[in-house]
Amino acid sequence: MNQKKILVIEDEKTISDIVKFNLTKEGYIVDTAFDGEEGLQKTYSMNPDLILLDIMLPKLDGFQVCKKIRESLNTPVIMLTAKEEEVDKVLGLELGADDYITKPFGMRELIARVKANMRRIDLSNQHESTNGKILDFGILTIDLNRYEVKKHDTVIELTLREFELLKYLAEQESQVFSREQLLEEVWGYEYYGDIRTVDVTVRRLREKIEDNSSEPQYIMTKRGIGYYFRRP
Ligand code: CA
């Protein structure tokens, strides 16, 4: 079995130690960084499969680190937040974090989140090795094999999670899904999700694929229910 690598960027040694201990026990290869700069260096040198990123960090804070990572990588990032204001910021700033977990968190919750995020990576790798197809919506195309979305023949950069959400909705054109359903199907949560995550990801996706994100043509809102994909 190919062991997955996790980078933990967290300056509090007690938290870092216990997280490392527990994730190692789950079979992951874990490395740690104790400030933002070291975190970025290790992100590039180790190329982890997933990153756990604290927000309050010396040198560069978690927001800056996440932004930097997103300039070149779509590695899943789970932010570790200590306060409700940070949650709002994680969601509001649209940094490209895939998920967040609020401190203090239990190890079971953390491991469940990590596994859910890793499962998405496995699924996308499986798709790469099978014969994918291209969903063609005229000027918008979704290449399931190459994980590539194009509009007017220009590639649109999406995070893995944004892609997964778009793919899920587009493959089941016109079908309406509740936020809870999307959280379970696209994020893979059973108990721990926050439905705001779905709204934020939809918003980001609209900003990237729609001509005008406040008047979407593809990702539609069904008031009081959820979202669906429509061929314009
Ligand atoms: Ca900290």
Side-chain angles (χ1 to χ4, degrees), residues 10-12 54-58 103:
E10 161 68 83
D11 60 320
E12 282 163 76
D54 186 32
I55 289 177
M56 297 299 284
L57 288 169
K103 289 178 179 177

Side-chain angles (χ1 to χ4, degrees), residues 173-188:
E173 211 183 314
S174 305
Q175 196 177 322
V176 181
F177 296 97
S178 70
R179 290 165 177 80
E180 289 81 3
Q181 273 175 314
L182 291 172
L183 203 55
E184 196 172 318
E185 295 298 328
V186 179
W187 275 257

